Amino acid sequence: MAKKKKTSPGTLAVNRKARHDFNIESTIEAGIVLKGTEIKSIRRGSANLKDSYAQVKKGEIWLQNMHIAPYEEGNQFNHDPRRSRKLLLHQREINKIGEQTREVGYSIVPLKLYLKRGNCKVLLGIARGKKKYDKRQALKEKAMKRDVDRALKARY
């Protein structure tokens, strides 16, 4: 059985698919605006970053398509699971990201959702999409590294 990868204690969700589909060129940390029961649901581990992305609209940056399951103990004021969520960044950072993503092929992809001093943060990556042959090459390199590690472990 495969070992589960260790994550840091504050990490709540990781977008593993992003590193496979994109070349991450730079990262930036952003706060996230949440409603009532969303933070409780996130702390439970009910957040999913798969297929989510961020985009700049009218000088603000919004996280789209991130799924946060409704809080079970919540009442009728529970949130919509896939609503757009505003990200908190300084205006100069938003402008910088906007300039970088205006180039063809660049996207803003959330990589990790975590807690920092009790606040929920998102690690965003400025990413360029990989071609199919790049993905195959990355899988080959990963397999070769795994084989080398196995051989060294068996030897010592």
Side-chain angles (χ1 to χ4, degrees):
M1 192 161 113
K3 292 181 185 177
K4 192 170 185 179
K5 289 195 175 192
K6 293 181 181 178
T7 58
S8 60
T11 302
L12 302 168
V14 178
N15 190 355
R16 293 175 56 200
K17 188 95 170 144
R19 298 221 184 251
H20 177 70
D21 291 340
F22 297 96
N23 287 324
I24 310 301
E25 297 193 358
S26 64
T27 60
I28 190 164
E29 179 183 77
I32 184 169
V33 177
L34 299 171
K35 289 187 176 178
T37 57
E38 286 181 326
I39 189 64
K40 292 181 181 184
S41 188
I42 287 174
R43 286 178 189 265
R44 263 196 185 165
S46 302
N48 189 351
L49 293 173
K50 187 178 177 188
D51 298 329
S52 59
Y53 60 96
Q55 59 185 171
V56 178
K57 290 183 189 174
K58 298 180 184 176
E60 296 178 336
I61 190 161
W62 293 86
L63 186 60
Q64 307 286 333
N65 212 23
M66 181 175 114
H67 185 272
I68 299 176
Y71 187 61
E72 294 164 3
E73 285 79 29
N75 55 14
Q76 74 238 19
F77 300 112
N78 253 340
H79 60 275
D80 178 30
R82 290 211 180 262
R83 75 176 185 88
S84 298
R85 293 167 179 89
K86 186 176 178 180
L87 297 177
L88 304 172
L89 287 170
H90 291 284
Q91 193 62 48
R92 67 178 180 276
E93 293 174 325
I94 294 172
N95 294 338
K96 181 181 168 188
I97 289 173
E99 288 174 15
Q100 290 176 337
T101 57
R102 280 191 196 101
E103 295 180 36
V104 177
Y106 281 91
S107 307
I108 308 169
V109 181
L111 302 174
K112 186 166 68 167
L113 187 67
Y114 56 95
L115 291 175
K116 185 175 182 180
R117 291 189 219 119
N119 295 323
C120 190
K121 303 283 185 179
V122 178
L123 184 66
L124 298 174
I126 309 301
R128 185 178 198 109
K130 283 185 184 178
K131 304 285 186 211
K132 197 170 192 176
Y133 56 84
D134 290 335
K135 292 179 192 177
R136 280 193 226 119
Q137 184 64 31
L139 288 174
K140 283 181 188 176
E141 289 172 5
K142 190 175 175 182
M144 286 190 295
K145 184 181 181 305
R146 188 174 36 228
D147 292 341
V148 168
D149 289 343
R150 277 187 195 149
L152 289 175
K153 187 176 180 182
R155 190 171 187 175
Y156 295 106

